[in-house]
Amino acid sequence: MYGWRGKIGLLVPSTNIPAEMDAHRLVPEGVSVTTGRVRFAGEVTVETVRTHLGYLDEAADLLATAGVDVMVYGMTGGSIVKGPAGDKELAEALQQRTGIPFITASAAMVEAFHVLGVRRVVCVAPYPGELNTLLAQYFEAHAIQTVEIKTMRLKDVRQILCVTPDTQYEAVKACQLAAADGVFLSATGWSTIDTIHLIEQDLGKPVVTAIQGGIWAALKQLGVRGGVHGFGRLLEEL
């Protein structure tokens, strides 16, 4: 029987492959992950992300029919593009619409950093431009200083998908780590979970990623405790 400890519903852009795969690896025994897809087309820009949000209601309605106990919206860009107030309104509206607790990736990352005691972060993100400015503004609104955002300057989701853990690791290593007390790997369109323990082990900074943070928040909502090992302090200390 799947989901006897709790059922997570994960909403991801239709082009996203890694988030679903990573989520299944992050949950402990007895917790299931059911994925719903939200239409996304084109390169990753503020405009395409805003268009994508227009399909979120329908996707949430469909995912709710699977009887999940909590929903996670697994897209950093989609949950920062309207700012902190807009992100909160989105979560509240979808929770009211479906009757299911609703968590966004960005709200989860902020809560995770507060729990870890992190107030200054370096970020590595795949996409360029305005989305990174919005990310820094989102952090600032929650009393977290962005020391640096290092971007891969990729807009094509197929290119983002192909970024490897060693590339992520080297990008973090090149950041201004001495001025920061935590690391954020933004976006769920690339797989980040195999980089977490290496960064924490070698570079000595706690790491939050978009998918890891979202799953952590969902497990907390479900009341699942006991820790998940191999994917960083955040999940280990659950």
Side-chain angles (χ1 to χ4, degrees):
M1 177 180 176
Y2 294 105
W4 51 271
R5 294 175 76 188
K7 303 178 181 69
I8 298 173
L10 176 65
L11 287 165
V12 297
S14 56
T15 52
N16 185 309
I17 296 173
E20 182 175 10
M21 304 299 111
D22 286 353
H24 283 287
R25 293 175 59 196
L26 291 169
V27 295
E29 181 183 1
V31 177
S32 65
V33 179
T34 302
T35 306
R37 299 196 169 271
V38 188
R39 179 176 173 80
F40 188 93
E43 296 183 333
V44 182
T45 67
V46 169
E47 291 73 24
T48 57
V49 170
R50 285 179 175 151
T51 299
H52 153 86
L53 288 175
Y55 299 101
L56 196 53
D57 285 357
E58 181 181 4
D61 288 345
L62 288 172
L63 186 55
T65 66
V68 297
D69 302 309
V70 59
M71 286 192 196
V72 177
Y73 175 40
M75 186 186 188
T76 313
S79 56
I80 62 173
V81 76
K82 291 185 176 182
D87 184 44
K88 184 179 179 183
E89 289 172 6
L90 181 149
E92 290 174 348
L94 284 165
Q95 181 163 322
Q96 183 175 7
R97 181 183 181 94
T98 63
I100 299 168
F102 195 94
I103 298 164
T104 69
S106 297
M109 75 182 177
V110 164
E111 183 184 0
F113 278 128
H114 286 165
V115 166
L116 291 168
V118 171
R119 293 294 179 267
R120 299 180 303 278
V121 298
V122 293
C123 308
V124 172
Y127 34 68
E130 191 179 351
L131 284 169
N132 293 319
T133 302
L134 293 170
L135 176 61
Q137 291 172 351
Y138 193 101
F139 275 131
E140 183 180 3
H142 292 91
I144 297 172
Q145 177 190 351
T146 304
V147 174
E148 180 182 4
I149 298 180
K150 191 169 291 294
T151 172
M152 306 291 179
R153 302 190 181 280
L154 303 175
K155 291 184 178 181
D156 188 321
V157 294
R158 292 166 297 184
Q159 292 178 320
I160 294 171
L161 173 65
C162 293
V163 178
T164 56
D166 60 300
T167 301
Q168 295 165 353
Y169 177 94
E170 290 299 329
V172 172
K173 194 173 181 180
C175 288
Q176 301 172 45
L177 290 171
D181 43 31
V183 175
F184 180 58
L185 296 178
S186 186
T188 65
W190 55 359
S191 182
T192 55
I193 64 173
D194 291 315
T195 316
I196 298 170
H197 76 283
L198 295 174
I199 295 170
E200 292 192 346
Q201 172 185 281
D202 295 354
L203 306 180
K205 306 290 181 178
V207 177
V208 174
T209 82
I211 190 63
Q212 168 230 36
I215 295 299
W216 168 81
L219 292 173
K220 279 187 62 184
Q221 174 66 38
L222 292 172
V224 172
R225 297 294 184 266
V228 179
H229 299 285
F231 304 106
R233 274 182 53 193
L234 183 68
L235 282 170
E236 287 175 358
E237 297 174 2
L238 184 68

PDB file of all heavy atoms in Angstrom, residues 7-8 13 18 25 39 41 46 50 60 64 78 97-98 108 115 120 123 128 130 144 158 161 193 197 206 213:
ATOM      1  N   LYS A   7       0.321  11.242   1.812  1.00  0.00           N
ATOM      2  CA  LYS A   7       0.355  11.348   0.350  1.00  0.00           C
ATOM      3  C   LYS A   7       0.650  12.787  -0.051  1.00  0.00           C
ATOM      4  O   LYS A   7      -0.113  13.699   0.258  1.00  0.00           O
ATOM      5  CB  LYS A   7      -0.987  10.901  -0.248  1.00  0.00           C
ATOM      6  CG  LYS A   7      -1.410   9.482   0.120  1.00  0.00           C
ATOM      7  CD  LYS A   7      -2.773   9.170  -0.472  1.00  0.00           C
ATOM      8  CE  LYS A   7      -3.235   7.768  -0.103  1.00  0.00           C
ATOM      9  NZ  LYS A   7      -3.548   7.667   1.357  1.00  0.00           N
ATOM     10  N   ILE A   8       1.773  12.977  -0.748  1.00  0.00           N
ATOM     11  CA  ILE A   8       2.166  14.294  -1.249  1.00  0.00           C
ATOM     12  C   ILE A   8       1.748  14.419  -2.708  1.00  0.00           C
ATOM     13  O   ILE A   8       2.008  13.523  -3.515  1.00  0.00           O
ATOM     14  CB  ILE A   8       3.687  14.503  -1.132  1.00  0.00           C
ATOM     15  CG1 ILE A   8       4.131  14.457   0.329  1.00  0.00           C
ATOM     16  CG2 ILE A   8       4.108  15.829  -1.774  1.00  0.00           C
ATOM     17  CD1 ILE A   8       5.638  14.485   0.530  1.00  0.00           C
ATOM     18  N   PRO A  13       5.925  22.085 -13.726  1.00  0.00           N
ATOM     19  CA  PRO A  13       5.715  22.451 -15.126  1.00  0.00           C
ATOM     20  C   PRO A  13       5.727  21.211 -16.011  1.00  0.00           C
ATOM     21  O   PRO A  13       6.434  20.233 -15.727  1.00  0.00           O
ATOM     22  CB  PRO A  13       6.904  23.362 -15.438  1.00  0.00           C
ATOM     23  CG  PRO A  13       7.323  23.907 -14.108  1.00  0.00           C
ATOM     24  CD  PRO A  13       7.074  22.807 -13.136  1.00  0.00           C
ATOM     25  N   PRO A  18      13.126  16.288 -13.748  1.00  0.00           N
ATOM     26  CA  PRO A  18      13.861  15.909 -12.542  1.00  0.00           C
ATOM     27  C   PRO A  18      13.067  15.970 -11.241  1.00  0.00           C
ATOM     28  O   PRO A  18      13.292  15.152 -10.341  1.00  0.00           O
ATOM     29  CB  PRO A  18      15.018  16.921 -12.499  1.00  0.00           C
ATOM     30  CG  PRO A  18      15.155  17.408 -13.897  1.00  0.00           C
ATOM     31  CD  PRO A  18      13.776  17.395 -14.455  1.00  0.00           C
ATOM     32  N   ARG A  25      12.886  10.065  -4.404  1.00  0.00           N
ATOM     33  CA  ARG A  25      14.089   9.686  -3.649  1.00  0.00           C
ATOM     34  C   ARG A  25      14.146  10.370  -2.280  1.00  0.00           C
ATOM     35  O   ARG A  25      14.805   9.873  -1.371  1.00  0.00           O
ATOM     36  CB  ARG A  25      15.337  10.033  -4.458  1.00  0.00           C
ATOM     37  CG  ARG A  25      15.505   9.209  -5.721  1.00  0.00           C
ATOM     38  CD  ARG A  25      16.704   9.685  -6.540  1.00  0.00           C
ATOM     39  NE  ARG A  25      17.937   9.602  -5.774  1.00  0.00           N
ATOM     40  CZ  ARG A  25      19.066  10.230  -6.123  1.00  0.00           C
ATOM     41  NH1 ARG A  25      19.096  11.004  -7.208  1.00  0.00           N
ATOM     42  NH2 ARG A  25      20.150  10.096  -5.384  1.00  0.00           N
ATOM     43  N   ARG A  39       0.779  23.073 -17.582  1.00  0.00           N
ATOM     44  CA  ARG A  39       1.274  23.419 -18.921  1.00  0.00           C
ATOM     45  C   ARG A  39       2.328  24.528 -18.867  1.00  0.00           C
ATOM     46  O   ARG A  39       2.156  25.550 -18.215  1.00  0.00           O
ATOM     47  CB  ARG A  39       0.116  23.857 -19.815  1.00  0.00           C
ATOM     48  CG  ARG A  39       0.561  24.250 -21.216  1.00  0.00           C
ATOM     49  CD  ARG A  39      -0.612  24.583 -22.118  1.00  0.00           C
ATOM     50  NE  ARG A  39      -0.160  25.109 -23.386  1.00  0.00           N
ATOM     51  CZ  ARG A  39       0.285  24.380 -24.414  1.00  0.00           C
ATOM     52  NH1 ARG A  39       0.323  23.066 -24.291  1.00  0.00           N
ATOM     53  NH2 ARG A  39       0.674  24.933 -25.532  1.00  0.00           N
ATOM     54  N   ALA A  41       5.218  26.294 -21.790  1.00  0.00           N
ATOM     55  CA  ALA A  41       5.730  26.292 -23.164  1.00  0.00           C
ATOM     56  C   ALA A  41       6.746  27.412 -23.336  1.00  0.00           C
ATOM     57  O   ALA A  41       6.591  28.507 -22.782  1.00  0.00           O
ATOM     58  CB  ALA A  41       4.583  26.470 -24.153  1.00  0.00           C
ATOM     59  N   VAL A  46      10.108  35.621 -17.440  1.00  0.00           N
ATOM     60  CA  VAL A  46       9.015  36.105 -16.593  1.00  0.00           C
ATOM     61  C   VAL A  46       7.675  35.962 -17.317  1.00  0.00           C
ATOM     62  O   VAL A  46       6.678  35.558 -16.725  1.00  0.00           O
ATOM     63  CB  VAL A  46       9.264  37.579 -16.185  1.00  0.00           C
ATOM     64  CG1 VAL A  46       8.018  38.183 -15.546  1.00  0.00           C
ATOM     65  CG2 VAL A  46      10.441  37.662 -15.229  1.00  0.00           C
ATOM     66  N   ARG A  50       4.525  33.577 -16.108  1.00  0.00           N
ATOM     67  CA  ARG A  50       3.199  34.148 -15.793  1.00  0.00           C
ATOM     68  C   ARG A  50       2.099  33.469 -16.604  1.00  0.00           C
ATOM     69  O   ARG A  50       1.005  33.220 -16.086  1.00  0.00           O
ATOM     70  CB  ARG A  50       3.214  35.654 -16.051  1.00  0.00           C
ATOM     71  CG  ARG A  50       3.964  36.425 -14.972  1.00  0.00           C
ATOM     72  CD  ARG A  50       3.994  37.906 -15.243  1.00  0.00           C
ATOM     73  NE  ARG A  50       4.615  38.622 -14.129  1.00  0.00           N
ATOM     74  CZ  ARG A  50       5.267  39.766 -14.245  1.00  0.00           C
ATOM     75  NH1 ARG A  50       5.407  40.334 -15.429  1.00  0.00           N
ATOM     76  NH2 ARG A  50       5.794  40.348 -13.184  1.00  0.00           N
ATOM     77  N   ALA A  60      -4.298  21.760 -10.301  1.00  0.00           N
ATOM     78  CA  ALA A  60      -4.542  21.480  -8.888  1.00  0.00           C
ATOM     79  C   ALA A  60      -5.851  20.729  -8.696  1.00  0.00           C
ATOM     80  O   ALA A  60      -5.939  19.807  -7.874  1.00  0.00           O
ATOM     81  CB  ALA A  60      -4.550  22.776  -8.088  1.00  0.00           C
ATOM     82  N   ALA A  64      -6.042  17.003  -7.016  1.00  0.00           N
ATOM     83  CA  ALA A  64      -6.861  16.795  -5.817  1.00  0.00           C
ATOM     84  C   ALA A  64      -7.685  15.518  -5.908  1.00  0.00           C
ATOM     85  O   ALA A  64      -7.986  14.886  -4.885  1.00  0.00           O
ATOM     86  CB  ALA A  64      -7.774  17.997  -5.594  1.00  0.00           C
ATOM     87  N   GLY A  78       7.720  30.227 -10.611  1.00  0.00           N
ATOM     88  CA  GLY A  78       6.278  30.464 -10.537  1.00  0.00           C
ATOM     89  C   GLY A  78       5.839  31.012  -9.205  1.00  0.00           C
ATOM     90  O   GLY A  78       4.822  31.718  -9.123  1.00  0.00           O
ATOM     91  N   ARG A  97      -9.493  26.472  -2.770  1.00  0.00           N
ATOM     92  CA  ARG A  97     -10.123  25.861  -3.938  1.00  0.00           C
ATOM     93  C   ARG A  97     -10.195  24.337  -3.807  1.00  0.00           C
ATOM     94  O   ARG A  97     -11.201  23.720  -4.124  1.00  0.00           O
ATOM     95  CB  ARG A  97      -9.323  26.246  -5.187  1.00  0.00           C
ATOM     96  CG  ARG A  97      -9.874  25.703  -6.500  1.00  0.00           C
ATOM     97  CD  ARG A  97      -8.968  26.074  -7.666  1.00  0.00           C
ATOM     98  NE  ARG A  97      -9.499  25.587  -8.916  1.00  0.00           N
ATOM     99  CZ  ARG A  97     -10.263  26.289  -9.742  1.00  0.00           C
ATOM    100  NH1 ARG A  97     -10.587  27.540  -9.448  1.00  0.00           N
ATOM    101  NH2 ARG A  97     -10.706  25.770 -10.873  1.00  0.00           N
ATOM    102  N   THR A  98      -9.099  23.727  -3.329  1.00  0.00           N
ATOM    103  CA  THR A  98      -9.008  22.267  -3.293  1.00  0.00           C
ATOM    104  C   THR A  98      -9.346  21.670  -1.926  1.00  0.00           C
ATOM    105  O   THR A  98      -9.619  20.471  -1.826  1.00  0.00           O
ATOM    106  CB  THR A  98      -7.592  21.801  -3.675  1.00  0.00           C
ATOM    107  OG1 THR A  98      -6.657  22.304  -2.705  1.00  0.00           O
ATOM    108  CG2 THR A  98      -7.215  22.292  -5.068  1.00  0.00           C
ATOM    109  N   ALA A 108       8.558  27.483   1.135  1.00  0.00           N
ATOM    110  CA  ALA A 108       9.277  26.401   1.814  1.00  0.00           C
ATOM    111  C   ALA A 108      10.747  26.743   1.998  1.00  0.00           C
ATOM    112  O   ALA A 108      11.337  26.482   3.054  1.00  0.00           O
ATOM    113  CB  ALA A 108       9.129  25.103   1.024  1.00  0.00           C
ATOM    114  N   VAL A 115      14.693  27.944   9.812  1.00  0.00           N
ATOM    115  CA  VAL A 115      14.913  26.817  10.721  1.00  0.00           C
ATOM    116  C   VAL A 115      16.404  26.527  10.862  1.00  0.00           C
ATOM    117  O   VAL A 115      16.893  26.197  11.956  1.00  0.00           O
ATOM    118  CB  VAL A 115      14.149  25.566  10.225  1.00  0.00           C
ATOM    119  CG1 VAL A 115      14.624  24.304  10.940  1.00  0.00           C
ATOM    120  CG2 VAL A 115      12.654  25.751  10.426  1.00  0.00           C
ATOM    121  N   ARG A 120      22.110  34.856   5.470  1.00  0.00           N
ATOM    122  CA  ARG A 120      22.843  35.359   4.300  1.00  0.00           C
ATOM    123  C   ARG A 120      23.099  34.178   3.371  1.00  0.00           C
ATOM    124  O   ARG A 120      23.723  33.185   3.783  1.00  0.00           O
ATOM    125  CB  ARG A 120      24.171  36.002   4.722  1.00  0.00           C
ATOM    126  CG  ARG A 120      24.028  37.200   5.637  1.00  0.00           C
ATOM    127  CD  ARG A 120      25.379  37.794   6.031  1.00  0.00           C
ATOM    128  NE  ARG A 120      26.232  36.797   6.668  1.00  0.00           N
ATOM    129  CZ  ARG A 120      26.156  36.467   7.944  1.00  0.00           C
ATOM    130  NH1 ARG A 120      25.264  37.033   8.728  1.00  0.00           N
ATOM    131  NH2 ARG A 120      26.970  35.552   8.450  1.00  0.00           N
ATOM    132  N   CYS A 123      23.305  31.979  -3.992  1.00  0.00           N
ATOM    133  CA  CYS A 123      22.367  31.206  -4.803  1.00  0.00           C
ATOM    134  C   CYS A 123      23.025  30.816  -6.120  1.00  0.00           C
ATOM    135  O   CYS A 123      23.781  31.602  -6.697  1.00  0.00           O
ATOM    136  CB  CYS A 123      21.113  32.014  -5.115  1.00  0.00           C
ATOM    137  SG  CYS A 123      20.303  32.738  -3.684  1.00  0.00           S
ATOM    138  N   PRO A 128      18.660  33.168 -16.380  1.00  0.00           N
ATOM    139  CA  PRO A 128      19.236  34.507 -16.296  1.00  0.00           C
ATOM    140  C   PRO A 128      18.184  35.562 -15.960  1.00  0.00           C
ATOM    141  O   PRO A 128      17.003  35.263 -15.804  1.00  0.00           O
ATOM    142  CB  PRO A 128      19.746  34.725 -17.727  1.00  0.00           C
ATOM    143  CG  PRO A 128      18.703  34.032 -18.566  1.00  0.00           C
ATOM    144  CD  PRO A 128      18.251  32.835 -17.756  1.00  0.00           C
ATOM    145  N   GLU A 130      15.661  38.678 -15.044  1.00  0.00           N
ATOM    146  CA  GLU A 130      14.753  39.249 -14.063  1.00  0.00           C
ATOM    147  C   GLU A 130      14.310  38.258 -12.990  1.00  0.00           C
ATOM    148  O   GLU A 130      14.028  38.644 -11.853  1.00  0.00           O
ATOM    149  CB  GLU A 130      13.518  39.820 -14.774  1.00  0.00           C
ATOM    150  CG  GLU A 130      12.631  40.668 -13.874  1.00  0.00           C
ATOM    151  CD  GLU A 130      11.435  41.232 -14.611  1.00  0.00           C
ATOM    152  OE1 GLU A 130      11.359  41.110 -15.857  1.00  0.00           O
ATOM    153  OE2 GLU A 130      10.556  41.791 -13.916  1.00  0.00           O
ATOM    154  N   ILE A 144      16.214  37.772   4.627  1.00  0.00           N
ATOM    155  CA  ILE A 144      17.369  36.971   4.208  1.00  0.00           C
ATOM    156  C   ILE A 144      18.133  37.763   3.152  1.00  0.00           C
ATOM    157  O   ILE A 144      17.558  38.168   2.129  1.00  0.00           O
ATOM    158  CB  ILE A 144      16.935  35.607   3.648  1.00  0.00           C
ATOM    159  CG1 ILE A 144      16.224  34.782   4.727  1.00  0.00           C
ATOM    160  CG2 ILE A 144      18.142  34.837   3.110  1.00  0.00           C
ATOM    161  CD1 ILE A 144      15.607  33.503   4.213  1.00  0.00           C
ATOM    162  N   ARG A 158      15.633  22.270 -21.894  1.00  0.00           N
ATOM    163  CA  ARG A 158      16.417  21.082 -22.230  1.00  0.00           C
ATOM    164  C   ARG A 158      17.867  21.257 -21.823  1.00  0.00           C
ATOM    165  O   ARG A 158      18.540  20.305 -21.421  1.00  0.00           O
ATOM    166  CB  ARG A 158      16.306  20.787 -23.725  1.00  0.00           C
ATOM    167  CG  ARG A 158      14.904  20.341 -24.164  1.00  0.00           C
ATOM    168  CD  ARG A 158      14.744  20.390 -25.655  1.00  0.00           C
ATOM    169  NE  ARG A 158      14.874  21.756 -26.168  1.00  0.00           N
ATOM    170  CZ  ARG A 158      14.706  22.112 -27.435  1.00  0.00           C
ATOM    171  NH1 ARG A 158      14.402  21.187 -28.332  1.00  0.00           N
ATOM    172  NH2 ARG A 158      14.832  23.370 -27.814  1.00  0.00           N
ATOM    173  N   LEU A 161      17.997  20.980 -17.921  1.00  0.00           N
ATOM    174  CA  LEU A 161      17.896  19.575 -17.539  1.00  0.00           C
ATOM    175  C   LEU A 161      19.251  18.878 -17.541  1.00  0.00           C
ATOM    176  O   LEU A 161      19.499  17.964 -16.749  1.00  0.00           O
ATOM    177  CB  LEU A 161      16.937  18.865 -18.503  1.00  0.00           C
ATOM    178  CG  LEU A 161      16.788  17.351 -18.414  1.00  0.00           C
ATOM    179  CD1 LEU A 161      16.174  16.964 -17.084  1.00  0.00           C
ATOM    180  CD2 LEU A 161      15.932  16.832 -19.565  1.00  0.00           C
ATOM    181  N   ILE A 193      19.696  17.166  -5.962  1.00  0.00           N
ATOM    182  CA  ILE A 193      19.795  16.500  -4.664  1.00  0.00           C
ATOM    183  C   ILE A 193      21.102  15.731  -4.468  1.00  0.00           C
ATOM    184  O   ILE A 193      21.492  15.472  -3.335  1.00  0.00           O
ATOM    185  CB  ILE A 193      18.577  15.594  -4.403  1.00  0.00           C
ATOM    186  CG1 ILE A 193      18.492  14.438  -5.406  1.00  0.00           C
ATOM    187  CG2 ILE A 193      17.299  16.407  -4.425  1.00  0.00           C
ATOM    188  CD1 ILE A 193      17.388  13.441  -5.065  1.00  0.00           C
ATOM    189  N   HIS A 197      24.861  16.953  -0.253  1.00  0.00           N
ATOM    190  CA  HIS A 197      25.757  16.462   0.802  1.00  0.00           C
ATOM    191  C   HIS A 197      27.217  16.793   0.509  1.00  0.00           C
ATOM    192  O   HIS A 197      28.011  16.993   1.436  1.00  0.00           O
ATOM    193  CB  HIS A 197      25.567  14.955   1.014  1.00  0.00           C
ATOM    194  CG  HIS A 197      26.185  14.098  -0.039  1.00  0.00           C
ATOM    195  ND1 HIS A 197      25.595  13.933  -1.273  1.00  0.00           N
ATOM    196  CD2 HIS A 197      27.339  13.356  -0.044  1.00  0.00           C
ATOM    197  CE1 HIS A 197      26.364  13.120  -2.002  1.00  0.00           C
ATOM    198  NE2 HIS A 197      27.411  12.766  -1.293  1.00  0.00           N
ATOM    199  N   PRO A 206      25.155  24.876   5.110  1.00  0.00           N
ATOM    200  CA  PRO A 206      23.905  24.153   4.892  1.00  0.00           C
ATOM    201  C   PRO A 206      23.293  24.528   3.547  1.00  0.00           C
ATOM    202  O   PRO A 206      23.408  25.673   3.096  1.00  0.00           O
ATOM    203  CB  PRO A 206      23.010  24.607   6.045  1.00  0.00           C
ATOM    204  CG  PRO A 206      23.579  25.916   6.481  1.00  0.00           C
ATOM    205  CD  PRO A 206      25.054  25.841   6.214  1.00  0.00           C
ATOM    206  N   GLY A 213      13.546  21.457  -0.313  1.00  0.00           N
ATOM    207  CA  GLY A 213      12.814  22.315   0.621  1.00  0.00           C
ATOM    208  C   GLY A 213      11.312  22.083   0.563  1.00  0.00           C
ATOM    209  O   GLY A 213      10.634  22.043   1.594  1.00  0.00           O
TER     210      GLY A 213
END
